[in-house]
Amino acid sequence: MKSSCLAAIALACVLTSFAAADSPRPNIVFIFADDWGWGDLSCHGHPYVKTPNIDRLAREGTDFHRFTVASGVCSPSRTAVMTGHFPARYNIDGHFAWVPSNAKRNMPDWLDTDTVTLPRLLQGAGYATAHFGKWHLANDMIPDSPSPGEYGYDTYGAFNCSGEQMPVHEDADHAIEFIQKSHQAGKSFFVNLWIHEPHTPFHVLPKYRWRFRNSGLDENDEIYAAVLSHADDRIGEVLETLERLDLVDNTLVIFSSDNGPARSRPGTPLALSYDTATGAGFGIAAAKGITAGRKGYKASLFEGGINVPFIARWPGKIAAGNIDKRSMISAVDLLPTFCEIAGAELPESYQPDGISQLKTLQGDVSDGRDKPLFWKMKGNGKPGQADSFHWVDYCIVDQNWKLISDEASSYVELYDIVADPYEKQDMKESHPDVVAQLTKKLAAWKATLPPKPNPKNFSSLRD
């Protein structure tokens, strides 16, 4: 009791210091990788990938092992971060592609600009806001889609968006310039650094392949290690800037990923591929990401697709060198968490799906959460097969239980996701009461979802 009271007093003191007029509010740097698997860090035991700068974040912060994103693919995952809502509330169940593909999948062509967004809330609280890197809340093939600036960013450079495509390797340079200017202006800042790596195509530079020339790796593994090494270096440049400007202690830095790693079919030959937003590079054969034993990969609602790295550093506020294997944090929690840290008020009419996890970041370990988490994706494949990871259409996590389901709830699997994070033991037969309860909650949530997207978020290119 005494320790919990002291923790509450300490938290209150921290929050009071945020609000003090003579104390700058915390800066927030959110680094969001693309297809970076849970096992693709040297601090997570990868056999050959080297990530010394991200490892440094882990040594100086806390490594949260139970963080999940809101989808197995990028656009809905990013929607959850931006809005604090499950992406199904916007009919965003897959990645934004060209208009006919979006229409076929009952999706809009971009995220609604009228919705409450994280950068807009922080902007309203006096923060300088910026986005650099991947966007994919629309698509570069939809020229009339809104720019990132229409969602609450003071400045941005992006790709997978309308307009000019920022070269993928310029993300850190722009972020550093923004941090320096914000510091000189005396403004607290929020910056998204949404890096391209390790998504295809792999835009690998020769000097990074040279690093692994004597590693004994085959060409695909060498390419994969090289692109992650390049990304880690750019992250290191941003961290060095915070140190040089004496901003480390007042800056929350988070590293995470939008979903699990992509994988090619065995025997896929290495070839060049081309992306309209980022250009040419090596293709899917070099996608060698790992999940460190988690089931499934990208585009799956098994843990390999949604349980991704989440490392948070904030000296004096978040414990250094700590590993939290129990606390369940979701991507929908980031908006309320960042807003509490920044002192940004949520509109009365806004109801987030997420919860503030500030106490959790500061060491209040919890096995579960009061509010269930929900997922919706379009599955394909046959349920129940041991090597089939993409059949799942719906998922609910409530406390320690995870239920995955096909479209009609005719086939389900049940896991104790705290005791069994690798989803080895399906417990539906031994816990039919839990299956019934979660199926009922899932059905109630489905009933709240819109049947169709709002036409105001359709491109003029639609028929």
Side-chain angles (χ1 to χ4, degrees):
M1 179 67 71
K2 183 178 179 180
S3 62
S4 62
C5 290
L6 290 174
I9 292 171
L11 177 62
C13 291
V14 169
L15 295 178
T16 300
S17 70
F18 294 170
D22 58 350
S23 177
R25 284 171 293 182
N27 308 303
I28 301 171
V29 177
F30 179 49
I31 305 167
F32 210 30
D34 196 359
D35 296 358
W36 200 303
W38 197 94
D40 289 340
L41 296 169
S42 42
C43 64
H44 284 180
H46 198 285
Y48 60 80
V49 166
K50 305 300 180 185
T51 52
N53 293 295
I54 301 172
D55 295 352
R56 175 188 172 187
L57 285 178
R59 289 194 306 272
E60 298 174 355
T62 296
D63 187 349
F64 293 89
H65 285 196
R66 289 296 311 123
F67 176 79
T68 53
V69 284
S71 178
V73 293
C74 53
S75 297
S77 180
R78 294 161 193 271
T79 296
V81 172
M82 283 283 288
T83 66
H85 285 147
F86 302 123
R89 300 202 186 280
Y90 303 91
N91 289 91
I92 301 174
D93 305 326
H95 72 285
F96 283 113
W98 67 319
V99 170
S101 176
N102 296 335
K104 182 179 180 180
R105 293 175 292 146
N106 195 35
M107 284 180 54
D109 293 316
W110 53 74
L111 175 64
D112 191 345
T113 56
D114 292 330
T115 193
V116 172
T117 64
L118 172 59
R120 194 175 288 134
L121 291 171
L122 296 182
Q123 195 178 52
Y127 274 65
T129 59
H131 174 97
F132 301 110
K134 184 172 183 177
W135 181 240
H136 221 166
L137 293 172
N139 193 283
D140 60 292
M141 294 181 286
I142 307 176
D144 58 343
S145 61
S147 73
E150 295 183 52
Y151 295 86
Y153 295 106
D154 297 318
T155 186
Y156 71 91
F159 50 89
N160 289 111
C161 62
S162 60
E164 183 179 359
Q165 307 296 295
M166 184 196 78
V168 295
H169 296 151
E170 292 184 5
D171 45 12
D173 290 340
H174 289 297
I176 289 168
E177 181 182 7
F178 169 75
I179 289 169
Q180 291 175 158
K181 287 183 176 180
S182 300
H183 178 61
Q184 291 168 1
K187 294 199 71 172
S188 297
F189 56 82
F190 165 69
V191 56
N192 276 341
L193 182 61
W194 287 8
I195 62 178
H196 180 261
E197 289 85 2
H199 197 284
T200 54
F202 295 112
H203 306 293
V204 60
L205 300 185
K207 75 172 185 176
Y208 286 97
R209 293 193 66 176
W210 184 254
R211 282 186 177 178
F212 297 91
R213 66 192 182 279
N214 295 321
S215 62
L217 300 174
D218 67 24
E219 187 173 20
N220 292 333
D221 290 287
E222 180 185 285
I223 291 168
Y224 195 72
V227 297
L228 294 188
S229 183
H230 188 186
D232 184 77
D233 271 8
R234 300 202 308 280
I235 291 169
E237 292 168 5
V238 174
L239 299 181
E240 289 168 6
T241 299
L242 296 174
E243 189 169 2
R244 174 170 52 83
L245 298 176
D246 196 25
L247 294 172
V248 172
D249 289 347
N250 197 43
T251 302
L252 168 63
V253 179
I254 289 177
F255 170 82
S256 191
S257 177
D258 66 347
N259 49 249
R263 296 287 287 192
S264 63
R265 295 181 182 276
T268 300
L270 182 64
L272 290 177
S273 67
Y274 180 81
D275 184 272
T276 57
T278 68
F282 289 108
I284 190 66
K288 304 293 285 186
I290 62 175
T291 66
R294 286 150 183 80
K295 186 184 293 186
Y297 297 96
K298 176 180 179 176
S300 167
L301 294 182
F302 285 98
E303 293 296 280
I306 60 175
N307 179 203
V308 294
F310 188 85
I311 298 170
R313 185 191 75 176
W314 189 9
K317 313 296 190 304
I318 294 176
N322 193 35
I323 294 176
D324 183 333
K325 294 184 177 181
R326 302 193 70 85
S327 299
M328 292 188 180
I329 304 176
S330 166
V332 295
D333 298 333
L334 296 182
L335 184 149
T337 301
F338 290 172
C339 284
E340 182 176 0
I341 289 170
E345 293 187 9
L346 302 179
E348 289 186 9
S349 60
Y350 170 74
Q351 296 295 322
D353 287 318
I355 59 176
S356 175
Q357 295 277 13
L358 178 56
K359 291 182 180 180
T360 304
L361 292 179
Q362 294 184 304
D364 184 2
V365 179
S366 174
D367 290 353
R369 50 190 294 134
D370 294 333
K371 299 175 71 173
L373 296 170
F374 297 94
W375 287 260
K376 177 187 176 187
M377 282 187 65
K378 181 60 178 174
N380 61 76
K382 186 176 181 180
Q385 289 184 333
D387 59 349
S388 177
F389 305 123
H390 300 99
W391 60 266
V392 183
D393 293 288
Y394 291 95
C395 173
I396 175 175
V397 170
D398 192 10
Q399 298 296 316
N400 61 306
W401 294 110
K402 175 179 179 179
L403 181 84
I404 53 178
S405 169
D406 63 2
E407 175 71 31
S409 295
S410 59
Y411 180 86
V412 302
E413 293 179 4
L414 178 71
Y415 298 95
D416 183 337
I417 204 62
V418 173
D420 180 24
Y422 300 108
E423 298 169 297
K424 292 182 177 180
Q425 186 176 3
D426 181 2
M427 304 184 73
K428 63 175 177 285
E429 299 297 337
S430 58
H431 291 77
D433 55 331
V434 176
V435 171
Q437 292 169 11
L438 296 188
T439 301
K440 183 177 180 180
K441 289 184 178 183
L442 185 57
W445 178 72
K446 288 182 188 180
T448 70
L449 302 179
K452 295 181 179 180
N454 191 323
K456 74 185 182 73
N457 300 311
F458 290 167
S459 169
S460 61
L461 299 177
R462 288 217 180 193
D463 293 335

